Amino acid sequence: MADDKPDEQTPTPENATILQAFEWYIPDDHTHWKRLARDVQKYSDMGITALWIPPPCKASSPSGNGYDIYDLWDLGEFDQKGSVPTKWGSKDDLLELSTAADDCNVLLYADAVLNHKAAADKTEKCLVVEVDPDDRTKTISEPYEIEGWLGFDFPGRGDKYSAMKWHWEHFSGTDYNAANEKTAIYKIQGEFKSWAQSVDTEKGNFDYLMFADIDHAHPEVKKDINEWGVWLAKLLSLRGMRFDAVKHFSEDYLREFLDYLKANVNEDFFFVGEFWKDSLADMTAYLDRMQGSKFSLFDAPLVYNFSEASRTESYDLRKIFDGSLVQVRPVAAVTLVMNHDTQPHQALEAPIEGFFKPLAYALIMLREEGYPCVFWGDLEGISGEFKEEPSCGGQLPDIILARKLYAYGKQDDYFDFSTCLGWVRHGTWDKPAGMAVVISNAGPGEKRMFVGEEHKDEVWTDVLGWQEGEVKIGGDGFATFTCPGVSMAIWVKDDAPGRDQFGGFKAGVGYGKDE
């Protein structure tokens, strides 16, 4: 039954959904900001409320995705590292995207890469010790001098926006000695120099990840990054940030950075970290340490559950949320099916068979718990050498739309059979339609479920059109809902508001070059 009508001044807010608005192999044609600006209205109409955009800062090359970050302050404005624009486009294009998103009431979350810097402008001599790659707390050499790529002068930008130049003392480690062309993990020596202690303890101390590792204890580093964060947030009207590789850099500094942003930009800023580890205990401990920061993490364990479920015959779907972050900390869980790191042929690849993608998206999009994030590669397809068509038979937009229109109110679960799950959303006073979902990873699924006596004699159909026929709700509010084998169905009243919108969004049209 829909919730009793409360104060009409507090309408039910629209469900929030993030789109990760990129994938690893998007062409390096420098037009992606234009692409997103062109399509942001479409995404808003579909039910996307926030875009997570890729790192907007200058990378080590015109093809770099931004995780090989060179200059925080260059958003595609200066002739550096082979081009003026970034892979994604120019600064002007980015500003136009910001305006377009704001016009469509779509929030922007930027990807912040704060762990390291790449493609230094010159080498600098510094004192180091080598450490054991498998235990960075163990020193395996006497101190000696190397020539590291640690000098950043930003000749194309000069002093615009920031006069800071980066030198060896601003870093805690590197991995290459230009003097003898030797690769190792070098811990930089000097007064007050150390690996950050508030990092993950994998490999003894996981401060060092790649390139020139930033020393966030250095006061000049803190000042520059803090000021950059406020500048970027205000310039792009950001409402949140995604932090890359948070288990590799100082939690103490990150809390300081979050506080600085909230104090100088927006108290309600949204923060999510990539703490990619299949360990619920480590993730919850991290969240505990980020106390009071309103911090979220991507639900990595759930992604691995999806991968296992898709590759295990007759997997027990009742266990799909076991060990996941969304099960124990739903308010702090950003749920997802795939991202740029887990997509095919990437470092953290977590294969999910195509048949299971719709079921996985139903489990994150159509339920109460978690803040779901849709992957661009599933919505628009994957480009390049490993090209893939959009997932879910091109109907992922319809699953997103079903969340926008009907996934509200009290949730009743029917998790009573290992290969077939069902649940009902009962709607709210101002969004009363409700919905019934059935998923199966084996043969055809069937669930007798209660949707409410107020729906008696209504005719419900599957908005996806995958399950043919119709269901008439009984006088007792019950009906038997079905889905095809190894598939799903989303049942809603056949004339519910918005039913005419399904099938109206074309997936896979996001790659065309915007001239």
Side-chain angles (χ1 to χ4, degrees):
M1 180 181 295
D3 298 340
D4 290 337
K5 185 175 179 180
D7 181 354
E8 292 190 21
Q9 299 305 308
T10 56
T12 305
E14 181 177 312
N15 282 326
T17 303
I18 306 169
L19 172 63
Q20 179 183 350
F22 64 102
E23 55 94 8
W24 196 260
Y25 302 112
I26 283 178
D28 55 351
D29 56 12
H30 316 298
T31 67
H32 194 58
W33 299 143
K34 290 183 179 181
R35 205 174 278 135
L36 293 176
R38 178 195 67 199
D39 289 342
V40 67
Q41 184 64 61
K42 177 187 77 170
Y43 297 136
S44 176
D45 293 342
M46 187 188 301
I48 298 299
T49 58
L51 296 182
W52 156 22
I53 61 172
C57 309
K58 185 62 60 74
S60 65
S61 76
S63 300
N65 284 326
Y67 300 100
D68 52 337
I69 187 167
Y70 166 68
D71 186 1
L72 285 169
W73 297 90
D74 183 357
L75 304 181
E77 182 179 3
F78 305 99
D79 189 357
Q80 300 188 116
K81 299 305 169 185
S83 73
V84 173
T86 67
K87 171 180 176 175
W88 314 109
S90 70
K91 179 185 177 184
D92 287 343
D93 294 341
L94 180 56
L95 292 173
E96 289 177 10
L97 168 59
S98 173
T99 299
D102 190 57
D103 290 344
C104 296
N105 295 313
V106 172
L107 310 180
L108 280 189
Y109 302 157
D111 204 321
V113 183
L114 304 181
N115 177 72
H116 51 262
K117 295 180 78 66
D121 299 306
K122 62 183 181 181
T123 62
E124 293 187 344
K125 293 181 179 180
C126 61
L127 196 66
V128 302
V129 293
E130 294 181 33
V131 299
D132 185 338
D134 296 318
D135 185 353
R136 282 80 180 280
T137 66
K138 292 183 178 179
T139 299
I140 58 174
S141 78
E142 294 298 319
Y144 67 97
E145 189 177 75
I146 67 166
E147 287 186 27
W149 286 98
L150 300 167
F152 292 79
D153 291 336
F154 313 114
R157 175 170 61 81
D159 293 342
K160 191 170 183 180
Y161 305 127
S162 169
M164 180 178 171
K165 313 304 178 187
W166 292 64
H167 303 291
W168 70 265
E169 64 265 25
H170 298 122
F171 301 98
S172 57
T174 189
D175 64 354
Y176 183 74
N177 180 6
N180 62 6
E181 300 183 343
K182 180 179 179 180
T183 298
I185 297 181
Y186 300 104
K187 181 180 179 183
I188 296 173
Q189 302 295 286
E191 190 175 10
F192 307 119
K193 280 289 177 192
S194 176
W195 296 134
Q197 296 307 299
S198 56
V199 296
D200 194 62
T201 56
E202 188 177 342
K203 298 185 184 297
N205 177 297
F206 222 170
D207 184 3
Y208 187 81
L209 176 62
M210 62 177 67
F211 303 123
D213 189 70
I214 292 175
D215 181 359
H216 294 92
H218 197 292
E220 292 177 353
V221 168
K222 290 183 181 183
K223 181 177 183 293
D224 196 62
I225 295 178
N226 286 353
E227 291 176 354
W228 166 82
V230 171
W231 171 78
L232 184 75
K234 290 183 175 179
L235 182 70
L236 301 182
S237 300
L238 296 180
R239 292 296 299 275
M241 284 188 178
R242 179 264 187 191
F243 295 97
D244 186 57
V246 294
K247 68 181 181 180
H248 299 284
F249 68 91
S250 169
E251 298 167 15
D252 294 336
Y253 170 67
L254 182 55
R255 281 192 294 270
E256 178 182 319
F257 181 74
L258 304 186
D259 289 342
Y260 193 81
L261 277 181
K262 288 191 287 186
N264 290 281
V265 182
N266 188 329
E267 177 63 32
D268 294 324
F269 224 66
F270 173 74
F271 303 113
V272 59
E274 181 226 4
F275 188 99
W276 203 262
K277 196 171 187 179
D278 193 10
S279 169
L280 180 60
D282 287 348
M283 296 180 78
T284 55
Y286 183 89
L287 288 170
D288 289 342
R289 295 193 299 273
M290 298 300 290
Q291 55 188 332
S293 296
K294 294 184 180 177
F295 203 76
S296 299
L297 293 176
F298 291 100
D299 197 344
L302 183 62
V303 171
Y304 291 116
N305 285 0
F306 288 155
S307 179
E308 180 185 358
S310 78
R311 296 179 296 155
T312 302
E313 186 175 355
S314 299
Y315 176 91
D316 189 341
L317 291 173
R318 294 171 296 185
K319 299 178 180 179
I320 197 70
F321 293 112
D322 287 359
S324 68
L325 185 62
V326 73
Q327 185 181 59
V328 298
R329 299 283 181 90
V331 175
V334 174
T335 52
L336 69 164
V337 176
M338 186 165 283
N339 68 16
H340 63 291
D341 285 325
T342 69
Q343 74 180 89
H345 306 283
Q346 280 304 300
L348 300 174
E349 181 177 1
I352 298 176
E353 299 297 324
F355 83 88
F356 198 81
K357 287 280 186 77
L359 282 66
Y361 273 107
L363 288 163
I364 70 168
M365 299 289 293
L366 305 180
R367 296 177 58 76
E368 287 183 291
E369 303 84 7
Y371 185 6
C373 181
V374 175
F375 178 46
W376 171 278
D378 285 330
L379 182 64
E380 300 284 20
I382 291 174
S383 187
E385 179 183 356
F386 306 111
K387 181 178 176 63
E388 289 188 8
E389 295 302 314
S391 71
C392 306
Q395 286 191 255
L396 182 52
D398 289 332
I399 301 175
I400 300 170
L401 182 62
R403 171 177 172 79
K404 174 184 178 180
L405 295 176
Y406 310 124
Y408 297 94
K410 182 175 177 288
Q411 177 174 289
D412 286 335
D413 289 336
Y414 294 79
F415 284 26
D416 54 349
F417 194 76
S418 63
T419 59
C420 180
L421 305 182
W423 64 91
V424 172
R425 301 298 301 275
H426 287 280
T428 61
W429 70 273
D430 57 343
K431 297 181 183 291
M435 69 190 322
V437 182
V438 184
I439 68 174
S440 171
N441 66 341
E446 179 178 300
K447 291 289 179 187
R448 181 168 173 78
M449 300 189 291
F450 177 75
V451 297
E453 295 176 6
E454 69 273 21
H455 295 292
K456 70 178 181 179
D457 296 328
E458 291 179 357
V459 174
W460 289 32
T461 57
D462 173 22
V463 301
L464 300 175
W466 295 349
Q467 178 63 66
E468 297 179 352
E470 58 187 37
V471 168
K472 187 174 182 179
I473 310 302
D476 58 359
F478 279 86
T480 298
F481 300 95
T482 57
C483 74
V486 199
S487 188
M488 60 176 287
I490 306 171
W491 294 88
V492 175
K493 185 182 178 185
D494 61 356
D495 62 352
R499 283 299 300 257
D500 59 332
Q501 299 177 45
F502 287 87
F505 297 98
K506 291 183 179 179
V509 298
Y511 277 115
K513 184 174 181 180
D514 195 313
E515 300 294 344

